[in-house]
Amino acid sequence: MHCVVCDKTIGRSGYKIQCRKCDGWAHLNCTNIAKDDIHDKKKIDWHCKQCRDSSTSALEEELEEEASLREKLDRCIKRRQSQIYEHSPSTQDMFKKLLKKIEGLEEAMSFNNEMVEGMRSSLDELRKENKSIKTKYEKLKIEVQELRQEVTVLKEKNAATDIEADLNSRKRNIIISGVIDKNEIVKGLENLGINDAGIKVKQIPTNKPIKPFVVTFSSEETKRNALQNRKSRGNLNSANMNLGGTERNIYLSEDLPKTIQELLRKAKELRESGYKYVWSKEGKVFCRKADFAKVLRIKNIQQVEELQQQSVNT
């Protein structure tokens, strides 16, 4: 057996290696494989020079054949393109037009992108403006609420002023019910010890058979005296006032604004809750539970309802 590298005889002893392709043998020293690697199958996958040369030639032949095939394919493609252009001269123009359309579409897309960016920018500005408007709106809401509160306060003050003005205009007035005419009024007042040549009388239009009168005295003091004298006389009627005719009750009361009249009417319900006295004086409403109890001034209907509730709870 001869070495495929040095062509010398290979003895039975010594290290040797076999070619994986042609099965020829070679001295291990004639190869580039170390003795330590002889048991590593990957490293001893050895081919002799003749086999390696033949493998390289085969690879080169394959590469040359592949290159030849590519050249043939390129020539075939060019020939087919030439045939297409020959049979359809407008094909190239069609491709050019198509390219122009593509370019036009690209420009349109670019323009659209710019428009979209512009719209986004405008939208952002609108959002900021909307946020600013909302902030202003909230501030205005607060201002409007404050103004409404001020208006409510002013209305209450104005109403109080109107009531006060109305009361001032009625300071010298009393209401007399149960009399027939001015002559009976004058006679009845004289019976109460009131002589006032300057009184003015005005009948109040109502559906009652005997309509009440508003009597305006020349002074507040005369008015107070009339009410005080009426109180000292107790219940009045046409008989004890020497008015003659069919006996009828005579009533004297303050000339109160409608709001105070309503408050007095509501306050009189306190009599059902244990309040013995409810009355008005100089446009103010008062109540008292008993003869020596504390006098309470009634300022509004809510206060009446609270007093009624307190009576229920006690």
Side-chain angles (χ1 to χ4, degrees), residues 290-301:
D291 291 334
F292 301 102
K294 182 180 178 181
V295 175
L296 299 176
R297 181 185 171 188
I298 306 298
K299 295 182 179 180
N300 50 58
I301 292 177

Side-chain angles (χ1 to χ4, degrees), residues 52-302:
R52 288 199 302 273
D53 291 344
S54 63
S55 296
T56 301
S57 298
L59 179 61
E60 288 175 351
E61 289 177 0
E62 288 179 4
L63 291 173
E64 288 177 0
E65 185 178 355
E66 183 178 349
S68 176
L69 288 172
R70 285 183 178 177
E71 288 179 2
K72 289 179 180 179
L73 181 60
D74 289 340
R75 287 196 299 272
C76 181
I77 290 171
K78 289 179 180 179
R79 186 169 59 255
R80 294 299 297 171
Q81 286 179 343
S82 176
Q83 289 175 354
I84 290 171
Y85 290 145
E86 288 176 359
H87 288 85
S88 180
S90 61
T91 302
Q92 193 170 6
D93 294 336
M94 182 181 69
F95 279 119
K96 288 180 180 179
K97 290 179 181 179
L98 184 60
L99 287 173
K100 286 183 179 179
K101 285 184 178 180
I102 292 172
E103 290 175 357
L105 287 172
E106 289 176 346
E107 290 178 0
M109 288 176 66
S110 176
F111 176 73
N112 287 336
N113 288 335
E114 291 176 0
M115 285 186 64
V116 169
E117 290 301 322
M119 291 173 69
R120 283 178 179 171
S121 177
S122 299
L123 183 59
D124 289 339
E125 291 177 1
L126 286 172
R127 283 174 177 166
K128 290 178 182 178
E129 187 176 351
N130 186 44
K131 187 177 180 180
S132 175
I133 290 171
K134 282 184 177 179
T135 303
K136 290 179 181 178
Y137 173 72
E138 292 300 325
K139 289 181 179 178
L140 285 173
K141 275 178 68 177
I142 294 171
E143 290 178 6
V144 168
Q145 188 175 1
E146 291 174 351
L147 286 172
R148 283 177 177 169
Q149 291 174 351
E150 290 179 8
V151 168
T152 301
V153 172
L154 288 173
K155 281 183 177 179
E156 291 174 355
K157 288 182 179 179
N158 189 45
T161 303
D162 290 343
I163 293 172
E164 188 67 27
D166 197 4
L167 280 171
N168 288 333
S169 69
R170 300 168 188 257
K171 278 185 177 181
R172 295 182 290 120
N173 295 356
I174 64 170
I175 303 294
I176 299 180
S177 303
V179 294
I180 297 174
D181 54 28
K182 182 177 179 179
N183 292 330
E184 282 196 351
I185 292 172
V186 173
K187 188 175 180 180
L189 290 174
E190 288 176 351
N191 188 270
L192 290 174
I194 303 299
N195 294 298
D196 188 349
I199 65 169
K200 296 178 182 179
V201 177
K202 181 180 179 181
Q203 193 174 47
I204 301 173
T206 65
N207 295 326
K208 296 179 180 180
I210 301 177
K211 295 177 173 52
F213 290 85
V214 177
V215 178
T216 303
F217 294 95
S218 57
S219 68
E220 292 181 39
E221 184 180 358
T222 306
K223 169 203 167 180
R224 283 193 292 269
N225 290 337
L227 292 174
Q228 186 64 35
N229 293 347
R230 171 245 175 265
K231 186 176 180 181
S232 63
R233 290 281 294 272
N235 294 330
L236 301 178
N237 55 53
S238 57
N240 60 28
M241 291 186 73
N242 300 320
L243 297 180
T246 305
E247 186 175 332
R248 57 192 183 279
N249 292 326
I250 307 296
Y251 301 98
L252 274 72
S253 62
E254 287 190 301
D255 183 17
L256 300 173
K258 287 185 178 180
T259 52
I260 305 299
Q261 289 179 27
E262 182 62 30
L263 181 59
L264 179 61
R265 191 178 299 111
K266 183 68 177 178
K268 286 181 179 179
E269 295 178 5
L270 289 171
R271 291 170 180 168
E272 299 175 3
S273 301
Y275 284 82
K276 188 175 181 180
Y277 303 103
V278 178
W279 72 97
S280 67
K281 183 178 181 180
E282 296 181 359
K284 299 179 179 64
V285 180
F286 302 92
C287 68
R288 187 167 63 186
K289 268 198 170 184
D291 291 334
F292 301 102
K294 182 180 178 181
V295 175
L296 299 176
R297 181 185 171 188
I298 306 298
K299 295 182 179 180
N300 50 58
I301 292 177
Q302 182 181 356

Side-chain angles (χ1 to χ4, degrees), residues 17 32-33 36-38 40-46:
I17 189 168
N32 57 355
I33 298 174
D36 295 337
D37 297 334
I38 196 168
D40 189 340
K41 291 183 178 180
K42 291 182 179 179
K43 291 185 178 180
I44 62 172
D45 187 13
W46 180 76

